Amino acid sequence: MIFKNEIVEKLSKSLVEKNCIINEEVKYFVDEYKGPFCEVLKENYKIAQVEGIPLCQDTGVIEFFVFIGYGVRLEEPITDTLNEIVENVYSQNPFRYSVVKDPLFERKNTQNNTPPIIHIFQTKGNNLEIRFLIKGGGSENLSRLYMMRPSSNIEDFKRLIIEHIKENGAKGCPPLHVGIGVGGTSDEAMILSKLALTKNFKERNIESRYANLEIELIKRLNELKIGFQGLGKGVSVFSVHIEAFPTHIATLPVGISTDCYLCRKGVIDIEDR
């Protein structure tokens, strides 16, 4: 049995930390940046950590990726636990509520930042791994699904990614982390693109062709000179990650997701003892 209180304790702590303490991978790039507003960016993360306040006023919608081992036993449905955690964390800390109940008509705020987005995957073993993204609205608005022709080649693929970031990248609070999902169905491609954003910057795809493609896209996208906050100085993207999945013979779905320069993400791992 993995007890609810252990999940609540570890995940609540991580959600607060990732909202208030800068990602160490990001910190390196911010500290190296010498362009416009560089001192403001540095001061922002220092004050946030000392005062326990958010790094950004947009404290996002929470997107969870839950990997549950087939041998794991839980006290209640994991969706109930995750909703409760988000509600408590956002109600007990100075975090903005960013979720509206109805997306089209009233758009009335839920007043507790719930519900989060939850993806559940069954895995082998006795572990519960929960990854999460704190997803701001600016970077989320850059998300796209493209249904490419199955006859498209690698150059077509690269051109699609580069043109999308060239046209839209400055709107997402860059430098960006770029996640790409290829294959599956339309919804699978988008989920894969989000899952790609949970990786660390230096991780590479285990398949060498995709790993080389990631490296090439990092280089090509940084040549766009979008820069920090779209001002043309510093890197334009931190990293690019690609996740692929088998697809239908007549389809080639490509999902693109981005994360803003803060890249607020985390992971907890609990073993069923």
Side-chain angles (χ1 to χ4, degrees), residues 19 24 39 71 96 103 110 126 181 202 235 243 248:
N19 257 310
E24 282 296 321
E39 294 305 322
R96 191 182 79 184
T110 62
N126 298 316
K202 293 183 179 180
V235 297
E243 294 288 336
H248 190 281

Side-chain angles (χ1 to χ4, degrees), residues 42-215:
K42 295 179 178 67
E43 184 181 16
N44 178 70
Y45 82 68
K46 293 173 183 176
I47 292 174
Q49 181 167 349
V50 171
E51 301 293 336
I53 57 178
L55 289 155
C56 177
Q57 66 174 355
D58 184 351
T59 47
V61 62
I62 308 301
E63 190 155 1
F64 290 109
F65 303 85
V66 183
F67 298 84
I68 303 179
Y70 72 90
V72 168
R73 297 165 296 156
L74 299 172
E75 290 186 276
E76 66 177 15
I78 191 64
T79 53
D80 292 352
T81 303
L82 296 178
N83 270 278
E84 181 180 326
I85 289 170
V86 171
E87 178 176 0
N88 289 340
V89 165
Y90 276 74
S91 299
Q92 296 169 11
N93 291 276
F95 299 165
R96 191 182 79 184
Y97 305 143
S98 300
V99 177
V100 294
K101 185 174 183 180
D102 183 275
L104 187 59
F105 292 100
E106 293 180 335
R107 292 189 67 85
K108 185 177 180 181
N109 199 296
T110 62
Q111 297 297 314
N112 57 16
N113 221 55
T114 67
I117 309 300
I118 303 172
H119 310 287
I120 299 177
F121 309 90
Q122 190 81 52
T123 63
K124 295 180 180 180
N126 298 316
N127 279 59
L128 173 67
E129 179 183 275
I130 303 175
R131 306 182 198 179
F132 65 85
L133 300 171
I134 300 173
K135 204 69 173 62
S139 62
E140 181 63 14
N141 282 333
L142 269 62
S143 304
R144 294 291 188 276
L145 171 69
Y146 295 97
M147 301 302 289
M148 297 185 71
R149 294 182 178 182
S151 58
S152 301
N153 58 34
I154 296 299
E155 292 305 315
D156 295 329
F157 174 84
K158 289 187 285 190
R159 189 179 306 112
L160 175 73
I161 303 302
I162 293 167
E163 285 302 314
H164 175 68
I165 299 301
K166 180 180 180 180
E167 181 179 349
N168 300 286
K171 306 171 189 175
C173 204
L176 304 171
H177 186 188
V178 180
I180 304 168
V182 185
T185 55
S186 56
D187 55 332
E188 179 73 5
M190 288 307 303
I191 292 172
L192 289 173
S193 72
K194 292 290 186 66
L195 185 58
L197 295 178
T198 67
K199 288 188 171 183
N200 294 325
F201 293 167
K202 293 183 179 180
E203 285 186 67
R204 296 274 68 89
N205 195 292
I206 60 173
E207 217 272 33
S208 61
R209 292 174 299 178
Y210 283 103
N212 291 334
L213 186 54
E214 291 171 344
I215 293 169

